[in-house]
Amino acid sequence: MKIAVFVSGGGTNLQAIIDNTKTGILKDIEIVLVVSSSPDAYALERAADNGIKSAVIRSKDYPSKDDWDQAMTDAVKESGAELIVLAGYLSLLGSKIVSAFSNRIINIHPSLIPSFCGPGMYGIKPHVAALARGVKVSGATVHFVNENYDSGPILLQKSVDILPDDTPEILQKRIMEECEWQILPKAIRLIADGRVEINNNIAYIR
Ligand code: GRF
């Protein structure tokens, strides 16, 4: 299966996918395109280092949101990707790409949805909020993407315990290493194997 990965920052989740295509559970998966919302994303270097085609597609470079949405849709269609993986991608997708790839876009979010998600809950913020609320577990969620933030069907979740000395940064690192880098490749595997069905906004794994 061919996939496109959308990024905005460091790209450690992209790296986890790349590593799994080489030596892990995604050996039959090809990353045909990396799309970045920023020219400065380190994720672009990871793509280049691994010979993966990339494109910077920013809404501010287009006359309207609609044109940007169309450009994104065209780029992915042209790449031949069947699945779009949002791996630390910070922009809200437009309606054209969401409907062109209906139930074919997944996102990784660094909390157990529906806690600590939605507009503005990115980067360190979900971890700050989790510690401020005093929850005893947190984690990460892979979910399908619709036109609203973090509200599509949940595919996979993994949790970690909150530890007494946790700071937002320590928790963020643990959730990345123990949750995000595990469940995002696993979600791609499940979809590639045709094991996921969606009914009434619920994802079922067969
Ligand atoms: C991750 O925590 C991801 O869950 C969130 O943004 C961060 C991106 O990290 N959506 P990276 O760019 O994959 O290193």
Side-chain angles (χ1 to χ4, degrees), residues 78-113:
E78 219 167 90
S79 76
E82 297 148 81
L83 176 71
I84 299 173
V85 179
L86 308 187
Y89 183 70
L90 295 179
S91 302
L92 188 63
L93 292 178
S95 56
K96 282 182 190 171
I97 194 163
V98 170
S99 60
F101 291 89
S102 171
N103 292 339
R104 288 263 145 198
I105 310 175
I106 56 172
N107 178 49
I108 179 85
H109 179 77
S111 76
L112 297 172
I113 289 175

Short mmCIF file of all heavy atoms in Angstrom, two decimals, residues 78-113:
data_model
loop_
_atom_site.label_atom_id
_atom_site.label_comp_id
_atom_site.label_asym_id
_atom_site.label_seq_id
_atom_site.Cartn_x
_atom_site.Cartn_y
_atom_site.Cartn_z
N GLU A 78 -2.13 12.52 -7.19
CA GLU A 78 -1.02 12.32 -8.14
C GLU A 78 0.02 11.33 -7.61
O GLU A 78 0.62 10.59 -8.37
CB GLU A 78 -0.34 13.67 -8.36
CG GLU A 78 0.11 13.95 -9.77
CD GLU A 78 0.46 15.42 -9.88
OE1 GLU A 78 1.62 15.76 -9.64
OE2 GLU A 78 -0.45 16.23 -10.18
N SER A 79 0.21 11.35 -6.30
CA SER A 79 1.23 10.46 -5.70
C SER A 79 0.80 9.00 -5.71
O SER A 79 1.62 8.10 -5.58
CB SER A 79 1.49 10.88 -4.25
OG SER A 79 0.43 10.46 -3.39
N GLY A 80 -0.49 8.77 -5.86
CA GLY A 80 -0.98 7.39 -5.84
C GLY A 80 -1.23 6.86 -4.43
O GLY A 80 -1.57 5.68 -4.25
N ALA A 81 -1.07 7.72 -3.42
CA ALA A 81 -1.28 7.26 -2.04
C ALA A 81 -2.74 6.89 -1.80
O ALA A 81 -3.65 7.59 -2.26
CB ALA A 81 -0.85 8.34 -1.05
N GLU A 82 -2.94 5.80 -1.06
CA GLU A 82 -4.31 5.37 -0.73
C GLU A 82 -4.69 5.75 0.69
O GLU A 82 -5.85 5.66 1.08
CB GLU A 82 -4.41 3.84 -0.87
CG GLU A 82 -4.17 3.33 -2.27
CD GLU A 82 -3.53 1.96 -2.24
OE1 GLU A 82 -4.24 0.97 -2.06
OE2 GLU A 82 -2.29 1.89 -2.39
N LEU A 83 -3.71 6.11 1.48
CA LEU A 83 -3.95 6.48 2.88
C LEU A 83 -3.11 7.71 3.20
O LEU A 83 -1.94 7.79 2.80
CB LEU A 83 -3.54 5.32 3.80
CG LEU A 83 -3.63 5.57 5.30
CD1 LEU A 83 -5.09 5.63 5.77
CD2 LEU A 83 -2.89 4.46 6.08
N ILE A 84 -3.71 8.66 3.91
CA ILE A 84 -2.98 9.84 4.39
C ILE A 84 -2.79 9.70 5.89
O ILE A 84 -3.76 9.48 6.63
CB ILE A 84 -3.75 11.15 4.08
CG1 ILE A 84 -3.94 11.31 2.56
CG2 ILE A 84 -3.02 12.35 4.66
CD1 ILE A 84 -4.86 12.49 2.19
N VAL A 85 -1.55 9.84 6.33
CA VAL A 85 -1.24 9.74 7.76
C VAL A 85 -0.79 11.11 8.25
O VAL A 85 0.22 11.64 7.79
CB VAL A 85 -0.12 8.70 7.99
CG1 VAL A 85 0.22 8.61 9.48
CG2 VAL A 85 -0.52 7.34 7.45
N LEU A 86 -1.57 11.70 9.16
CA LEU A 86 -1.18 12.97 9.76
C LEU A 86 -0.28 12.66 10.95
O LEU A 86 -0.73 12.06 11.93
CB LEU A 86 -2.40 13.78 10.20
CG LEU A 86 -3.51 13.99 9.16
CD1 LEU A 86 -4.57 14.96 9.71
CD2 LEU A 86 -2.97 14.51 7.85
N ALA A 87 1.00 13.03 10.83
CA ALA A 87 1.99 12.68 11.87
C ALA A 87 2.58 13.96 12.40
O ALA A 87 3.64 14.41 11.95
CB ALA A 87 3.06 11.77 11.26
N GLY A 88 1.87 14.60 13.34
CA GLY A 88 2.32 15.88 13.86
C GLY A 88 1.99 17.00 12.89
O GLY A 88 2.71 17.99 12.81
N TYR A 89 0.89 16.85 12.17
CA TYR A 89 0.46 17.88 11.20
C TYR A 89 -0.49 18.84 11.89
O TYR A 89 -1.47 18.40 12.50
CB TYR A 89 -0.22 17.18 10.01
CG TYR A 89 -0.63 18.13 8.91
CD1 TYR A 89 0.32 18.75 8.12
CD2 TYR A 89 -1.98 18.39 8.66
CE1 TYR A 89 -0.05 19.62 7.10
CE2 TYR A 89 -2.35 19.26 7.65
CZ TYR A 89 -1.39 19.87 6.87
OH TYR A 89 -1.77 20.72 5.87
N LEU A 90 -0.21 20.13 11.79
CA LEU A 90 -0.93 21.08 12.64
C LEU A 90 -2.08 21.83 11.98
O LEU A 90 -2.84 22.51 12.67
CB LEU A 90 0.07 22.09 13.22
CG LEU A 90 1.11 21.50 14.18
CD1 LEU A 90 2.06 22.57 14.67
CD2 LEU A 90 0.43 20.79 15.36
N SER A 91 -2.25 21.73 10.66
CA SER A 91 -3.35 22.47 10.04
C SER A 91 -4.61 21.61 10.00
O SER A 91 -4.53 20.37 9.91
CB SER A 91 -3.00 22.86 8.61
OG SER A 91 -1.84 23.64 8.59
N LEU A 92 -5.75 22.28 10.03
CA LEU A 92 -7.03 21.57 9.86
C LEU A 92 -7.24 21.35 8.36
O LEU A 92 -7.15 22.29 7.57
CB LEU A 92 -8.15 22.42 10.44
CG LEU A 92 -9.53 21.77 10.54
CD1 LEU A 92 -9.51 20.59 11.49
CD2 LEU A 92 -10.56 22.81 11.03
N LEU A 93 -7.51 20.12 7.96
CA LEU A 93 -7.66 19.83 6.52
C LEU A 93 -8.95 20.44 5.98
O LEU A 93 -9.93 20.61 6.71
CB LEU A 93 -7.67 18.32 6.29
CG LEU A 93 -6.36 17.59 6.55
CD1 LEU A 93 -6.54 16.10 6.31
CD2 LEU A 93 -5.22 18.14 5.69
N GLY A 94 -8.96 20.72 4.68
CA GLY A 94 -10.15 21.25 4.04
C GLY A 94 -11.14 20.14 3.66
O GLY A 94 -10.81 18.95 3.72
N SER A 95 -12.33 20.57 3.28
CA SER A 95 -13.40 19.59 3.03
C SER A 95 -13.15 18.76 1.78
O SER A 95 -13.58 17.61 1.70
CB SER A 95 -14.75 20.29 2.93
OG SER A 95 -14.68 21.27 1.93
N LYS A 96 -12.43 19.32 0.79
CA LYS A 96 -12.20 18.55 -0.44
C LYS A 96 -11.34 17.32 -0.18
O LYS A 96 -11.67 16.22 -0.60
CB LYS A 96 -11.49 19.42 -1.48
CG LYS A 96 -12.40 20.37 -2.17
CD LYS A 96 -11.69 21.18 -3.23
CE LYS A 96 -12.64 22.28 -3.68
NZ LYS A 96 -12.06 23.25 -4.54
N ILE A 97 -10.24 17.54 0.52
CA ILE A 97 -9.34 16.40 0.75
C ILE A 97 -9.99 15.40 1.69
O ILE A 97 -9.85 14.19 1.52
CB ILE A 97 -7.93 16.86 1.22
CG1 ILE A 97 -6.96 15.69 1.11
CG2 ILE A 97 -7.95 17.46 2.62
CD1 ILE A 97 -5.50 16.11 1.14
N VAL A 98 -10.75 15.90 2.67
CA VAL A 98 -11.40 14.99 3.62
C VAL A 98 -12.43 14.12 2.90
O VAL A 98 -12.52 12.92 3.15
CB VAL A 98 -12.04 15.78 4.79
CG1 VAL A 98 -12.92 14.88 5.64
CG2 VAL A 98 -10.96 16.40 5.67
N SER A 99 -13.18 14.72 1.96
CA SER A 99 -14.18 13.87 1.28
C SER A 99 -13.54 13.01 0.20
O SER A 99 -13.97 11.88 -0.03
CB SER A 99 -15.35 14.70 0.75
OG SER A 99 -14.89 15.65 -0.16
N ALA A 100 -12.46 13.51 -0.44
CA ALA A 100 -11.78 12.68 -1.46
C ALA A 100 -11.15 11.45 -0.82
O ALA A 100 -11.02 10.41 -1.46
CB ALA A 100 -10.73 13.50 -2.19
N PHE A 101 -10.73 11.58 0.44
CA PHE A 101 -10.09 10.45 1.14
C PHE A 101 -10.90 10.07 2.38
O PHE A 101 -10.35 9.89 3.47
CB PHE A 101 -8.64 10.81 1.48
CG PHE A 101 -7.77 10.92 0.27
CD1 PHE A 101 -7.63 12.12 -0.40
CD2 PHE A 101 -7.12 9.80 -0.25
CE1 PHE A 101 -6.86 12.22 -1.55
CE2 PHE A 101 -6.35 9.89 -1.40
CZ PHE A 101 -6.22 11.10 -2.05
N SER A 102 -12.18 9.94 2.19
CA SER A 102 -13.07 9.63 3.29
C SER A 102 -12.69 8.30 3.95
O SER A 102 -12.52 7.28 3.27
CB SER A 102 -14.50 9.57 2.73
OG SER A 102 -15.36 9.08 3.71
N ASN A 103 -12.54 8.32 5.26
CA ASN A 103 -12.09 7.13 6.02
C ASN A 103 -10.74 6.60 5.57
O ASN A 103 -10.39 5.45 5.79
CB ASN A 103 -13.13 6.00 5.96
CG ASN A 103 -14.39 6.36 6.72
OD1 ASN A 103 -14.36 7.24 7.58
ND2 ASN A 103 -15.48 5.69 6.40
N ARG A 104 -9.95 7.48 4.95
CA ARG A 104 -8.62 7.12 4.46
C ARG A 104 -7.60 8.14 4.97
O ARG A 104 -6.55 8.34 4.35
CB ARG A 104 -8.62 7.08 2.93
CG ARG A 104 -9.36 5.88 2.37
CD ARG A 104 -8.37 4.78 2.05
NE ARG A 104 -8.88 3.45 2.28
CZ ARG A 104 -8.11 2.36 2.41
NH1 ARG A 104 -6.81 2.45 2.34
NH2 ARG A 104 -8.61 1.19 2.61
N ILE A 105 -7.93 8.82 6.05
CA ILE A 105 -6.99 9.76 6.68
C ILE A 105 -6.97 9.45 8.18
O ILE A 105 -8.04 9.38 8.81
CB ILE A 105 -7.40 11.24 6.50
CG1 ILE A 105 -7.70 11.56 5.02
CG2 ILE A 105 -6.30 12.16 7.02
CD1 ILE A 105 -8.23 12.98 4.79
N ILE A 106 -5.78 9.24 8.72
CA ILE A 106 -5.67 9.03 10.17
C ILE A 106 -4.73 10.06 10.77
O ILE A 106 -3.88 10.62 10.09
CB ILE A 106 -5.19 7.60 10.53
CG1 ILE A 106 -3.85 7.27 9.87
CG2 ILE A 106 -6.26 6.58 10.18
CD1 ILE A 106 -3.23 5.94 10.34
N ASN A 107 -4.91 10.29 12.07
CA ASN A 107 -4.10 11.27 12.80
C ASN A 107 -3.66 10.65 14.12
O ASN A 107 -4.38 9.84 14.70
CB ASN A 107 -4.95 12.52 13.08
CG ASN A 107 -4.20 13.57 13.88
OD1 ASN A 107 -3.07 13.94 13.55
ND2 ASN A 107 -4.82 14.07 14.95
N ILE A 108 -2.48 11.06 14.58
CA ILE A 108 -2.04 10.66 15.93
C ILE A 108 -2.17 11.88 16.84
O ILE A 108 -1.72 12.97 16.51
CB ILE A 108 -0.58 10.13 15.92
CG1 ILE A 108 -0.11 9.72 17.32
CG2 ILE A 108 0.40 11.12 15.30
CD1 ILE A 108 -0.48 8.35 17.73
N HIS A 109 -2.83 11.67 17.99
CA HIS A 109 -3.00 12.77 18.95
C HIS A 109 -2.43 12.33 20.31
O HIS A 109 -2.71 11.22 20.77
CB HIS A 109 -4.49 13.13 19.09
CG HIS A 109 -4.70 14.24 20.07
ND1 HIS A 109 -4.43 15.55 19.76
CD2 HIS A 109 -5.07 14.23 21.38
CE1 HIS A 109 -4.65 16.30 20.82
NE2 HIS A 109 -5.04 15.53 21.81
N PRO A 110 -1.66 13.21 20.98
CA PRO A 110 -0.98 12.80 22.20
C PRO A 110 -1.82 12.92 23.48
O PRO A 110 -1.38 13.51 24.46
CB PRO A 110 0.24 13.72 22.24
CG PRO A 110 -0.23 14.97 21.59
CD PRO A 110 -1.23 14.55 20.54
N SER A 111 -3.01 12.34 23.46
CA SER A 111 -3.79 12.17 24.69
C SER A 111 -4.79 11.07 24.42
O SER A 111 -4.93 10.61 23.28
CB SER A 111 -4.54 13.46 25.08
OG SER A 111 -5.68 13.64 24.25
N LEU A 112 -5.49 10.66 25.48
CA LEU A 112 -6.55 9.66 25.31
C LEU A 112 -7.83 10.42 24.98
O LEU A 112 -8.51 10.93 25.87
CB LEU A 112 -6.69 8.83 26.59
CG LEU A 112 -5.44 8.00 26.94
CD1 LEU A 112 -5.61 7.35 28.32
CD2 LEU A 112 -5.17 6.91 25.89
N ILE A 113 -8.14 10.52 23.69
CA ILE A 113 -9.35 11.23 23.25
C ILE A 113 -10.56 10.54 23.87
O ILE A 113 -10.60 9.32 23.92
CB ILE A 113 -9.42 11.22 21.70
CG1 ILE A 113 -8.33 12.15 21.13
CG2 ILE A 113 -10.79 11.63 21.18
CD1 ILE A 113 -8.23 12.12 19.61
#
